[in-house]
Every structure is written in structure tokens, then in C-alpha cells.
Amino acid sequence: MHRLLLTSVVRPSPGARTQSPLASELFHSQITRAQGPFSLRQVVRCWALDYLAENVECPTVVLHYPSEEELSEELRRFQPTHVGINFVVPTFGEVERMSAIIRARAPDANIVLGGYGTVLPDELLAPLSDRICREEGIGFMRRELGERTDRPIVAPHAPIAAPRMLSLQPESVVGHLTAGLGCPNGCDFCATSQYFGRRYERFSLRGRDIYEGLLATRRRAERDGVEMSSFILIDEDFFLHEARAREFLDCVREGAEPMSLMGFGSIRGLSKFTAREIAEMGFELVWNGYEGKRAGYLKMRGRPLPEIYRGLRQMGCALLSSMIIGFPYQDTAIIREELDELLDLEPAMMQCLIQFAFPGTPLFTEAIAKDRHRARLRDGVDLRSFDGFSAHFEHPSFASPEALEAVQEEAYRTDFERLGPSPLRLARVWLEGHRNLRFDAAPGLRARAEVLRGRARQVLPSLRTMARFAPSGAVKESALALRRELIRETGSLSPSERALEAAGPTLYRLTEALSKSGLFEPPGSLRVLHRMPGAEESQHTKRVHGLQGALRHEPRHLLRALRSRLTFSGGSGAQPVLVPPSVLARSPVGREVPEDATDAVETHAS
């Protein structure tokens, strides 16, 4: 009988590059990173591992963000025949350490590497592993274990804790479902698109599959006595698959039960639907690519941006907009001009990344062919810097990488100073949606209005603190104005809300101090069992709060953090991992564009 251990990379040791923008926290690492104590803190589990564990037949243990000590103990206790490690390029150094631990503790186990880190060439990965998965992982792992490959894919119950702010952790959780992998848009920088040869790998064939999967994970949370307040729907461009999305819309209308979704959609995909239809589906936050105005990607074609942003905001759907800087046509003035235009659209959240390229993408191939890598990187680029926060390429307008990186920092700071904390911006969108939909003729949209009212109300106790510690006078006035509007529209503060409001300044300073100490920083670990004793208890919804770290009733994480801080002496996780671009160019990923995908691809204009 096979025994499968699936694990993310180990938690970084104190002193390592713990704030990598590709760390376990999406919001705080990449999006709200400049917002201080108002930053949203939410650990995102490695859902690929949960999908694999749910869809094989042998006894399986999943470890999310274990320490090296926890990994060693699991190897001793479980004695797996196979160990699968999911990683990305910046965490290659952790994989090196983990491989050595596995070889020492479980020498007979087969090490299988998977995830987007496998865009790295075999000469780097083969010494650390027995097998490398560079395809959809469920079919691969079933073949590896000698199991049937024709069984349907089942979505796991894999929630995460709701985001916290000012050290206040909600009891509710966020559900998850992956509808598919890959993207046919074919942007030249995108590892996701190139990894699957610009093809889309469907997990959910129908819109009804998505709808019923979301309801199933919500019912499981309810049985565990936990509120599932919203969902994350993983799909690179959900709205691009119009027929399936419309079937999902029909299901939501028939069910008359409002959804609360975060998902991903390009301008091209969003333009296939009205703002009202997107609201009826239940989307409260959509992540879209703003990129650069002259980037020329096909996914950016569609209805005018002001029309899309305004329409969605009126329906209570906020935008998380991703901008890229460092295109060859950009200089500082152009970047600031494009940023101004984006901020005028009032996105609730903003991501700003520097143009770079993973091995296997057309952009990386072009960079090698045109010798675009900076001179000092040609002998070795640090793999930890493949994160969108480091400038790899020579640029006609930026003499040094530090100059472009400074503009990136300025962009995050400008976003915060002009528009304020993201919870403030989200609450304003949700209140606008409540106003516009509360008397709507459609029962589903009237129900949505009540959900949006509750969402906005949750931010109310923190608004005075946002005003007190605002980064600008405009943000202070915005916070106070929203407080007045919320009270006028939804009623006075309750006694508990007043208590929270009074505690706000103290919580702000406490959060600031805890963040500086680093002792309570996420992630914590999560151990989940499948098809073995204790599996049901390990999958209990409440246990996912442990991922939020020592601050969330996980005192053992604090003890480990203290011990690590006392003993850490700068191990390999803190050291650069230098590989020449010429070696990375030997990535086996990157395939010819299939004939049925060419209409979705357009090279960006340099």
C-alpha cells in the first residue's frame, strides 16, 4: 500500500527572506503591503495539495507550512512511500533543505516535485527528486500511484480563515473551489499560461458543478459550526468561459441564495457580461489586469475601463487591479501618469509588479535572445528574486534596478495616501451596492443588498482609527465621511461596536508592535489527514485558523518562533540561490501554441 505525504515548503526561519511577495500571505505580501496595521492578514493554504489528497485513493497526509522539525517528525511517524513538494521558483532554496531532510529521514521514499517551480531545468531539480510533475497534477499522481485516471475530480473542503486587520480575527472562514487551471490568453510573461501550453484544464465542466461545489463546502462548514462568509473561486479568467459562467448565473438565480465571491476576470472576459449579471453571480471582488496602457495584451480589449469600473461599483463589486511597471516604453513620468489613471478609477485594491519573466515564458526567451538581463545578473540571478519586486532587465529609462524598485515603492505609497486602507475602499463599494440594490425587483439582488450592508457594517468600528492614523488629510476626511454615511444608512453603533471603536487606537499600536517583533507573524502549520484514523477531526473547519499563526490560539508556534530566533545563525534559507539565465533558459516548459489557441494570443507592443 502506498502512503503519500504532500507538503508545501517549510516555514522560513527568522532571518530568511520571510517577506517574500510570493510567501503564504497574498494580501499583505503583494497588495496591502504599504498599509501598515490596516493591511489585511490572511494565510492562503496550498490548495493544489488539498486537491491531490482528495483525488487519490491511498492514505495521505497534507502539511501546510510545516517547520523543519514538523516535517522530520511526520517522516518518522508516517513513513511515506512518496513525498510530494509543491513550490515556486523563489522557494527553491527551501526545497534543497527539504530534500536533504527527506533523504536522511525516509531514504526509501520517492520525492516528487510539482508546482510552478518546476519551470526550472532538470539539472537543478533532478538531484533533489525522483520524479518531476510538469502537468496537471491529479492525473500525474494517479498514474504514479498506479490508480485509475478516469475518475472525476472532486473538490476538497479546504477553507481558510477570513482576513484579519488590527489583530482582530473573525471566526468565519472563506471557502474555496478551483474551476480550472491555465489560461488561453497567452500573455508573454505568464507562467500559468505557458505551463499548460496556453490550454485551459477544466476541473468543473459545468456551471452547475461550480455552484454545487460551493454549496457543498459551505454545508460542511455549517455542520462544523462555522460560518463560511464568502468564497474564493480560482480560475485565471472565469468570465472568458461564457457558456459555463452563464449556467452558473442561472443556478444562482434559481437558488435565490446570494453568493459572496472573489474571482479573476480580464477586461475581455468581463465585457461579455453586464455589471448586473456579475452581481447576480455573487461577485464582490474581481481581480483584473490593468497592466500598462500600451502593453497590448488581448485580454485588455473590451468595454472602456471607466464604464466597467463604474458599473461594477454601482452593483457593490470592487476591483483588485494589477499594474505592471518596467515595460520598455515606460519612464517614471509615464508610470506615474498610468498610475494616476488607474487610481482615478478607484480600485479597492492595487497590485504593482515589476516586469520580469519566469523560465519557459516567451518573455524570458526574448530576454535571453536580446541579452536583456542586467550585466551583473548574467553570471547568476537570485532565484528568490523571481517575485515581481526585483528588476532583472536592462531598461532605457532606469540606469539601476534600485531606481525602478523605488518607483514601485512610490506606487504603493501613492495608492495608500490617495485612496486609503483597502477595507475603507471595500466598505464604500459595498455600501454603494447596498443603496442601489435594496429595492431591486430581483429577489436575489435584494438579498445581495443585505449581505453588502453587513459587509460594510463590519468596517464601521475601525473608521475612526483609520481617520486618526490616516496617511493623508483626504483619507481622513474619507473615513469620517463614510462613518457618517454608514450610521445614517444602517443605524447607530451597538455597544459592542462602540467598544471596538474605542479600542481601535490601542489595537493599531499593538498590531504595529507585533509586526515589528516578528514573533507572531504567520504562517502557522496545518496537518490534514485523508483515508486514515483521525481524518475527520483533522479536516474540521475550525482547525484552519491555526494557519494564521501564533496570534490565533496556537501557542506552540510562538514557542517555536522564540526558539528559532535564539538559535538561528543564517542557514541556507537566508542565502542567495544564484543561477545564470543561460541555465534557466534550458527550462523544459514552454510549448508551441496549439492551433485552437492562437486567436487568444497577441504579443505585447514594446
Side-chain angles (χ1 to χ4, degrees):
M1 172 72 74
H2 292 304
R3 296 181 303 280
L4 177 61
L5 172 61
L6 297 169
T7 179
S8 69
V9 294
V10 292
R11 291 199 301 275
S13 302
R17 190 169 175 168
T18 57
Q19 288 304 309
S20 168
L22 290 179
S24 59
E25 292 189 73
L26 174 64
F27 290 130
H28 184 64
S29 295
Q30 296 188 48
I31 297 163
T32 60
R33 57 190 284 119
Q35 299 183 17
F38 298 124
S39 182
L40 296 175
R41 308 301 302 266
Q42 181 185 44
V43 172
V44 179
R45 65 198 287 170
C46 186
W47 284 303
L49 302 179
D50 298 302
Y51 263 85
L52 287 169
E54 186 71 26
N55 287 280
V56 296
E57 297 176 327
C58 67
T60 302
V61 176
V62 178
L63 298 180
H64 293 282
Y65 312 114
S67 65
E68 291 185 17
E69 175 186 340
E70 289 167 327
L71 174 62
S72 295
E73 173 59 21
E74 193 64 51
L75 292 167
R76 183 197 64 78
R77 174 172 48 191
F78 185 50
Q79 298 183 358
T81 60
H82 294 75
V83 181
I85 305 174
N86 184 281
F87 76 108
V88 291
V89 171
T91 55
F92 174 79
E94 281 76 7
V95 175
E96 287 185 307
R97 286 160 38 216
M98 295 172 72
S99 178
I101 292 171
I102 297 166
R103 295 298 192 207
R105 300 286 187 271
D108 295 329
N110 292 288
I111 299 177
V112 183
L113 300 184
Y116 291 118
T118 60
V119 299
L120 295 174
D122 285 354
E123 61 194 272
L124 293 179
L125 302 185
L128 308 178
S129 64
D130 300 288
R131 295 294 303 278
I132 302 170
C133 173
R134 293 188 174 103
E135 59 184 89
E136 184 277 304
I138 294 173
F140 175 94
M141 190 59 73
R142 285 172 172 174
R143 293 195 306 272
E144 181 73 11
L145 298 173
E147 299 178 0
R148 286 176 48 200
T149 60
D150 58 351
R151 291 181 292 116
I153 293 175
V154 178
H157 177 64
I160 57 177
R164 76 167 182 253
M165 184 191 71
L166 295 177
S167 300
L168 295 174
Q169 178 64 59
E171 295 292 333
S172 60
V173 298
V174 178
H176 161 267
L177 187 138
T178 294
L181 301 174
C183 179
N185 281 318
C187 298
D188 60 357
F189 63 85
C190 181
T192 303
S193 187
Q194 303 305 320
Y195 196 86
F196 295 100
R198 299 185 185 181
R199 290 191 182 276
Y200 178 69
E201 300 277 352
R202 286 179 181 262
F203 279 14
S204 300
L205 300 180
R206 305 175 303 153
R208 182 164 295 279
D209 297 332
I210 297 172
Y211 179 73
E212 292 178 352
L214 294 173
L215 293 185
T217 192
R218 177 191 279 173
R219 287 193 295 267
R220 170 64 186 271
E222 289 173 350
R223 289 199 302 271
D224 289 342
V226 181
E227 177 193 6
M228 184 168 282
S229 57
S230 59
F231 304 94
I232 297 176
L233 179 56
I234 300 295
D235 194 281
E236 289 292 320
D237 200 343
F238 175 76
F239 304 97
L240 201 60
H241 311 285
E242 185 174 0
R244 188 183 64 178
R246 291 201 176 277
E247 183 180 347
F248 175 74
L249 171 59
D250 290 340
C251 291
V252 177
R253 284 170 171 167
E254 292 169 9
E257 184 177 357
M259 293 287 181
S260 298
L261 302 174
M262 173 187 171
F264 302 78
S266 66
I267 297 302
R268 181 184 177 215
L270 290 169
S271 296
K272 295 176 180 291
F273 297 85
T274 66
R276 183 180 178 85
E277 288 171 332
I278 293 168
E280 286 186 279
M281 291 181 202
F283 285 93
E284 294 175 4
L285 181 65
V286 173
W287 190 328
N288 74 298
Y290 174 81
E291 318 305 13
K293 288 198 67 176
R294 294 184 230 163
Y297 296 118
L298 180 60
K299 69 178 183 180
M300 299 167 64
R301 293 182 181 177
R303 297 202 307 271
L305 290 180
E307 177 186 328
I308 288 179
Y309 278 68
R310 182 173 58 251
L312 289 175
R313 188 165 55 242
Q314 290 171 347
M315 294 290 103
C317 180
L319 275 298
L320 191 172
S321 299
S322 181
M323 180 179 182
I324 295 176
I325 64 174
F327 288 111
Y329 75 84
Q330 291 174 327
D331 56 21
T332 300
I334 291 174
I335 292 172
R336 288 172 178 165
E337 176 185 327
E338 293 185 350
L339 177 64
D340 284 342
E341 293 187 25
L342 173 58
L343 297 185
D344 285 344
L345 297 170
E346 299 184 11
M349 298 184 185
M350 186 207 71
Q351 179 191 53
C352 179
L353 299 183
I354 295 173
Q355 188 200 39
F356 77 111
F358 283 108
T361 61
L363 185 58
F364 192 90
T365 301
E366 174 195 322
I368 292 292
K370 295 183 179 180
D371 202 22
R372 285 189 60 194
H373 284 90
R374 293 189 177 274
R376 72 187 195 190
L377 300 181
R378 288 168 191 160
D379 293 331
V381 57
D382 188 352
L383 295 187
R384 300 176 306 163
S385 70
F386 278 78
D387 55 17
F389 286 77
S390 303
H392 292 182
F393 301 148
E394 297 285 0
H395 197 286
S397 299
F398 296 93
S400 69
E402 291 79 13
L404 184 55
E405 291 161 13
V407 174
Q408 182 185 39
E409 291 181 12
E410 177 189 321
Y412 277 102
R413 188 170 59 251
T414 300
D415 169 72
F416 184 41
E417 291 173 353
R418 186 177 303 182
L419 299 181
S422 286
L424 164 66
R425 294 141 68 169
L426 288 164
R428 185 168 291 286
V429 174
W430 293 334
L431 179 60
E432 183 172 354
H434 166 70
R435 285 172 175 154
N436 292 330
L437 299 176
R438 56 186 166 180
F439 302 121
D440 196 275
L445 289 179
R446 290 200 304 274
R448 174 181 172 86
E450 284 306 300
V451 172
L452 294 174
R453 177 191 182 279
R455 290 269 189 272
R457 185 79 187 192
Q458 290 173 348
V459 182
L460 177 58
S462 63
L463 290 174
R464 271 192 168 165
T465 302
M466 291 182 189
R468 178 168 177 175
F469 297 98
S472 66
V475 170
K476 177 179 180 179
E477 289 304 315
S478 178
L480 293 176
L482 180 58
R483 182 180 183 276
R484 292 191 296 268
E485 292 173 38
L486 275 169
I487 291 173
R488 183 174 65 249
E489 298 276 351
T490 65
S492 300
L493 279 78
S494 67
S496 60
E497 288 172 330
R498 290 190 182 279
L500 277 176
E501 185 176 70
T506 301
L507 290 170
Y508 180 93
R509 294 190 179 95
L510 174 64
T511 304
E512 191 173 45
L514 290 174
S515 181
K516 289 179 179 178
S517 76
L519 294 179
F520 292 88
E521 290 296 284
S525 61
L526 179 65
R527 179 175 182 259
V528 185
L529 310 181
H530 294 258
R531 294 167 297 278
M532 50 192 299
E536 185 167 348
E537 173 59 26
S538 76
Q539 296 177 31
H540 194 285
T541 305
K542 286 185 177 179
R543 296 195 68 250
V544 304
H545 284 94
L547 287 172
Q548 295 291 76
L551 198 60
R552 180 64 186 184
H553 47 245
E554 290 286 344
R556 70 180 187 275
H557 296 313
L558 175 59
L559 294 176
R560 289 193 178 108
L562 284 168
R563 183 167 65 248
S564 297
R565 188 165 287 266
L566 290 173
T567 60
F568 182 70
S569 58
S572 61
Q575 302 301 314
V577 184
L578 300 177
V579 181
S582 58
V583 172
L584 299 177
R586 295 196 280 272
S587 169
V589 173
R591 309 162 191 168
E592 294 297 321
V593 181
E595 291 183 6
D596 59 354
T598 54
D599 64 339
V601 181
E602 179 178 78
T603 303
H604 81 270
S606 297

